[in-house]
């Protein structure tokens, strides 16, 4: 100890803020979640995506909302080998006793580059429509949005795909399902109009991709853009768990590691 | 460089193992996931838990399986304030730009203490029934299991609850749903028998809890115990995302931190 | 399978980019790390921060650089109870078998809010000085920087502290050590000048804090701002490990959880 | 709300346990860490590994301890391309705005398979010596340990290496440094004796590897085995940060991903 006789005293009292949450509570014989009795009203009644919808939106989905929300979620589950699934497999190889850590590792790369475009699309659409005069002139807004992003030298989130050209069949199907259920609203219209303008301006193949469609549909459902990335995180956690199950039989991690190690080592030895 | 003229040469050639996975692939105009055409057969058709079931089990669920699997999943989503949700909120307070990191942080504590009992219950049930002679004598097996765990001084996973006594209403409802759908099989029978024996032996209140019911039902569905923890990880990712959405309006992290810091600091100053 | 006779063929060949890294390689009898023979030249010779310096800067530190770099690192190790350490303890309570996961959870919140100011300070200083005419007029640059950030309504990273006012004794000591070792350069001068200008402009207590001093000193050492956050991550991993060791004897996680749960539950029950 | 008139009331009062920690506290003008005045006694005086030692051991290291502890730490920093570093690079590719998340992802695989042997070696050595009669008969204890692990069909942690045979030069150097500093004690003796017995019994090349040497030396320093994995976590956080810095110039993640994706996709298309 190096206290040296300094006078030190108790911290000045701070006014405590109450800790509150409306999501759930329980007593010995009762469990309430999202405002509903869990055993009586939720278990056996609601599906998993409906539960997510209930939590995020604060109310049960209609049948249409439930179908569209599920469509969004299943689209995001599995994308083959991705940095995220490879990461999960490599982590599992080192810590098979901690499955949750392998899933978490896989989720950590879902940032601005890969899943961020969903959030980005939702953000620009919501911000543009929030202050727009009614009735919406989505074609004009699309021109403004594209010009604005071009001026800022920013890419347009939700457009373009490395592989799926000239059309991303997931985006087509998602918008179709939204339309079937009467949930194709102004955000979807604006996103589609943006794709048309961007394609014309850039002269490149810039299909509306799955993340653009999802950003638009989620916005028309009233989901705020700040949580849209969370939809991808939830869905990918499903996909990663399935990859880890496959990896128990067909491990990829060690082989990937060995190949990278061999190539890098040889490049060093041959300098 | 400190190579010092040592002779170093290329690594000895290693036989490469092929990298394979059956989960998904795509070409420019086609996307196959879990053996199905994603836009045509999955989007707009399957629900999220059905998608997870398809990935884990390798086939579409029946309507009964889908309902029971959803029942399991929604049970696991939200448990009020837990170490997991508090962790997610504290992490979000420091890195709001990386929502995925806050979710991942929250998942990392889903280890042997909190979610592990689901996995543990599935494991002991599956291992016991794997070699058991038919027809199953679940009462006798339950006696053996309880005696065996007692001899090893291990707790029985899936029994007992800090709060929900003498009955965990979630377990009751889950087993009821499984029964309604004809999916209450030998693992559920064994788990229920284990609860009866354990209660009698221990003279304490040891209700079959939600994790015990889930471990048993998942086992009767043929889900291998090694991936059962993954169900909890998926469901909690939903719950954590909802907590983070609430935290955008009603942040808890900083207040929790300040209280802990004040109390610990004062305890140090008053030594 | 839903292949339906579509013609699908092998992916078009992609030109592979070589995988290279200069950080390390080994053969059966030789291990080279950062250009040095690990057993012969590093083990027993270099200290841990020196190793980090070697890795980051590509050369061994001088004695002065080693002392200053260690000063930076030890400053960042321990800050009492923080969101980061509380997170680590809560995670450890659920998964004590995965210590690495508890450390990782604790690191995940080191984002733009808490540790980001170090990175932010280094960035603005490095960007300002990169194009500045010589000899540097740091007073003038400070005026420009403060005016510029004010115009953008951004806060000045590295200034101000909730608790340590009017002076952050860590910043004072860090700059003193840098000066003692001849490493107080133009970035430190600019940072100090910025603190003076900001204080004058804002009329609030805005001491140069530890993260501002570290951002400036690291910049004068030639460490690029993009990796400055990494210094905090390394140092905090030390601090978190020590918290987890303490938590083995004096666990905090469960008590924190119980208190939060009780208060939130009661707030719900009393609605 | 589904309250239905149930009588619900405030939770029964729980006795709160105090929250205490001895690691650090601060007041406006004073910052104490690990029992020392941070600005006055630590910054500019202690090195980073010394700080870790102080936190873990509760006292300043001697010069010998400091050298040996640094030797351990620098050995663990960099191992070329590992699952851990590849994971960090893949994560960084997706979320470059969250460097801390890439480091955390890399740390998550430091479980029982890769870094666990350090912890395992420390554990068996500490447990064996804890109850052993004095003076220690390490040869006899080594025979017992090897026989015991063989009977349990467990591998001996700290022995054997895929690449470094018949000798791991890091282990040799580490034990040499420990001996130079008078810190080669009974745990090192026992570990070395175990290697001799195991080699004789197995007729395979089973060199004492770096993790075995570190587990033994850390044990002789009095570091409890439960925290030994933490030393690896700290050191690897240094190594991962350096990999990420290299990856800013020479990114590996995307190329690794593309290769894995191509091979897996082609294996699916050619079924």
């Amino acid at each position: 100890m190096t206290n040296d006789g300094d006078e030190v005293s108790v911290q000045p009292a701070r006014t405590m803020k109450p800790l509150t949450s409306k999501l759930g509570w329980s007593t010995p014989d009762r469990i309430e979640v999202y405002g509903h009795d869990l055993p009586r009203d939720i278990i056996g009644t609601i599906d998993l995506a409906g539960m997510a919808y209930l939590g995020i939106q604060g109310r049960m989905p209609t049948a249409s909302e439930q179908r569209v929300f599920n469509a969004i979620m299943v689209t995001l589950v599995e994308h083959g080998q991705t940095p995220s699934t490879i990461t999960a497999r490599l982590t599992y190889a080192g810590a098979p006793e901690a499955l949750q850590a392998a899933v978490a590792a896989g989720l950590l790369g879902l940032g601005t580059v890969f899943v961020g475009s969903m959030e980005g699309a939702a953000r620009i659409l919501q911000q543009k429509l929030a202050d727009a005069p009614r009735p919406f002139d989505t074609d004009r807004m699309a021109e403004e949005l594209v010009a604005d992003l071009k001026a800022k030298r920013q890419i347009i989130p939700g457009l373009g795909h490395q592989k799926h050209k000239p059309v991303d069949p997931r985006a087509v199907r998602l918008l179709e399902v939204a339309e079937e259920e009467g949930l194709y609203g102004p955000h979807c219209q604006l996103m589609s109009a943006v794709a048309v303008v961007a394609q014309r301006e850039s002269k490149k193949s810039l299909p509306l991709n799955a993340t653009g469609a999802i950003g638009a549909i989620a916005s028309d459902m009233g989901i705020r853009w700040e949580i849209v990335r969370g939809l991808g995180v939830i869905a990918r956690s499903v996909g990663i768990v399935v990859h880890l199950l496959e990896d128990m039989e067909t491990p990829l991690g060690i082989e990937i590691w060995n190949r990278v190690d061999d190539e890098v080592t040889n490049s060093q030895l041959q300098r």
Side-chain angles (χ1 to χ4, degrees), chain A residues 14-261:
Chain A
R14 202 175 52 79
T15 308
M16 290 206 291
K17 291 178 198 149
L19 301 176
T20 62
S21 164
K22 296 179 178 170
L23 302 180
W25 52 266
S26 65
T27 56
D29 60 350
R30 195 174 163 77
I31 301 170
E32 191 181 292
V33 171
Y34 302 158
H36 294 267
D37 185 302
L38 176 67
R40 197 188 62 195
D41 301 333
I42 290 178
I43 297 175
T45 306
I46 307 181
D47 73 344
L48 179 59
M51 186 76 176
Y53 189 96
L54 172 61
I56 291 169
Q57 301 280 67
R59 64 170 176 79
M60 292 282 184
T62 64
S64 286
E65 287 163 344
Q66 195 169 5
R67 181 166 174 244
V68 175
F69 193 69
N70 268 302
I72 287 176
M73 297 306 277
V74 299
T75 301
L76 293 164
V77 166
E78 173 57 39
H79 286 60
Q81 306 298 315
T82 59
S84 187
T85 64
I86 300 170
T87 283
R89 289 171 182 256
L90 285 163
T91 302
Y92 187 70
E97 70 283 359
L99 185 86
Q100 78 279 11
V103 179
L107 297 178
L108 285 172
L110 302 180
T112 51
V113 179
F114 295 127
V115 173
S117 53
M118 241 164 78
E119 178 182 309
R123 185 173 54 75
I124 59 164
L125 298 171
Q126 293 185 21
Q127 291 176 343
K128 190 74 188 170
L129 282 164
D131 329 299
R134 315 228 163 183
F136 294 134
D137 181 347
T138 47
D139 286 336
R140 183 176 167 176
M141 283 190 265
E143 300 281 355
E144 290 169 4
L145 259 180
V146 173
D148 190 38
L149 291 168
K150 197 178 171 186
K152 292 183 193 156
R153 291 164 183 271
Q154 291 177 4
I155 62 156
I156 303 168
L159 299 189
H161 198 279
Q162 208 186 342
K163 216 186 230 182
H164 302 304
K165 297 184 256 198
V167 162
D168 182 338
R170 300 167 299 179
V172 174
R173 181 67 184 132
L174 281 163
L175 293 173
E176 202 175 75
V177 173
E179 215 158 8
E180 287 167 15
E181 300 296 340
L183 290 168
Y184 186 103
H187 297 86
C188 287
Q189 278 171 36
L190 178 54
M191 189 75 229
S192 299
V194 165
V196 171
V197 175
Q199 179 90 25
R200 190 193 66 209
E201 295 287 310
S202 76
K203 284 153 197 124
K204 283 193 300 182
S205 182
L206 273 180
L208 179 57
N209 65 32
T211 65
I214 290 171
I217 297 170
S219 297
D220 275 329
M221 295 180 110
I223 297 173
R224 49 191 282 193
W225 66 263
E226 290 93 338
I227 203 65
V228 163
R229 189 187 298 193
L231 306 184
V233 173
I234 292 168
R236 291 296 178 86
S237 75
V238 175
I240 294 171
V241 166
V242 176
H243 274 262
L244 293 173
L245 178 61
E246 188 186 57
D247 208 69
M248 292 176 192
E249 302 291 343
T250 320
L252 298 185
I254 300 294
E255 176 65 20
I256 293 169
W257 168 35
N258 283 336
R259 290 191 193 180
V260 173
D261 186 28

